[in-house]
Amino acid sequence: MVKYSKTDRGESLEEIKKEPITVTLVVLNIVAFLLVEFTGFSQDVGHMIECGAVYPPLVTENGEFYRLFTSMFLHFGIEHLLNNMLVLFVLGSRLERVVGKARFLLIYLAGGLLGNVISLAADLGKNSLTVSAGASGAVFAVMGAMIFVVIRNKGHLEDLSMKQILIMAVFSLYFGLASTGVDNAAHLGGLLSGFLLAVLAGQPRRRT
């Protein structure tokens, strides 16, 4: 049993108020995962396609471009979901506090979409018919934006340093390259897109 004091609960509520977009995105991903599990199985490729995962022929031939968006909220299994949500919560909460709610949401959604577009282009170039889904493109966009923000803040942001964020990015990319069934094009595309979107979104607001 875990007990929380009134002060602990108050601090938790304050943190949620500070990062409502990050919390909402995490909740939406969890709800989407539960809906997929309740209606089928999240590791069933056919069911994932029915739920909105990216399958190149359906996007390019049937014009189902909405899949580039819906696939951002789908995950193949609980481990896939938890890994993405952990990184999103750790990095997203910090980025949202610095750049603001609107800029953060723009970086997450647009970065994720661009990552999926790059992934689709890579699949088409290889004539690959793989099914892809996951928030990792958007999560890597957050990571890319964090790199820019840390640079603008002279190597530090809250409790994160440039060395820490770069190590996280390098290890995340390496883990994807060393594993099978990982959409590395979406990861790299999201990372670069997030960095560029942070540049275009303007100078992050300063915290005193």
Side-chain angles (χ1 to χ4, degrees):
M1 179 181 293
V2 178
K3 295 183 179 180
Y4 293 98
S5 67
K6 291 183 179 180
T7 303
D8 292 332
R9 288 195 293 270
E11 290 175 351
S12 299
L13 289 173
E14 286 300 317
E15 288 301 311
I16 291 175
K17 290 178 181 179
K18 291 178 182 178
E19 301 93 34
I21 304 301
T22 300
V23 174
T24 300
L25 289 171
V26 171
V27 170
L28 287 175
N29 276 278
I30 293 173
V31 169
F33 178 79
L34 293 175
L35 288 174
V36 171
E37 287 289 342
F38 286 150
T39 57
F41 183 43
S42 63
Q43 297 191 43
D44 181 343
V45 175
H47 183 57
M48 289 290 281
I49 292 176
E50 292 176 354
C51 292
V54 171
Y55 182 55
L58 294 179
V59 177
T60 57
E61 297 174 16
N62 291 16
E64 298 178 8
F65 297 103
Y66 67 86
R67 292 179 178 275
L68 296 172
F69 177 81
T70 55
S71 63
M72 292 166 54
F73 296 90
L74 301 175
H75 291 85
F76 289 102
I78 186 66
E79 183 178 353
H80 187 201
L81 172 72
L82 293 179
N83 287 340
N84 279 336
M85 293 305 100
L86 177 61
V87 179
L88 172 59
F89 187 77
V90 171
L91 295 184
S93 57
R94 290 167 172 78
L95 184 64
E96 184 179 350
R97 285 196 294 268
V98 174
V99 303
K101 301 176 183 63
R103 286 190 179 93
F104 173 72
L105 186 61
L106 171 67
I107 289 168
Y108 183 89
L109 295 179
L113 284 172
L114 289 171
N116 283 346
V117 169
I118 292 171
S119 171
L120 177 63
D123 284 342
L124 293 175
K126 296 182 295 185
N127 291 320
S128 175
L129 297 178
T130 56
V131 177
S132 58
S136 49
V139 171
F140 268 86
V142 171
M143 194 179 297
M146 282 288 293
I147 293 174
F148 169 73
V149 171
V150 171
I151 291 173
R152 290 298 299 266
N153 282 273
K154 300 180 180 180
H156 287 84
L157 178 64
E158 296 186 358
D159 57 340
L160 288 178
S161 66
M162 174 61 75
K163 182 179 180 180
Q164 289 172 317
I165 191 68
L166 286 179
I167 288 175
M168 185 181 296
V170 170
F171 268 95
S172 297
L173 289 172
Y174 174 77
F175 177 77
L177 291 171
S179 305
T180 58
V182 176
D183 194 344
N184 293 297
H187 290 184
L188 184 58
L191 186 73
L192 296 175
S193 298
F195 185 92
L196 293 175
L197 284 166
V199 174
L200 296 174
Q203 182 175 353
R205 66 190 186 194
R206 294 187 178 277
R207 293 176 60 84
T208 59

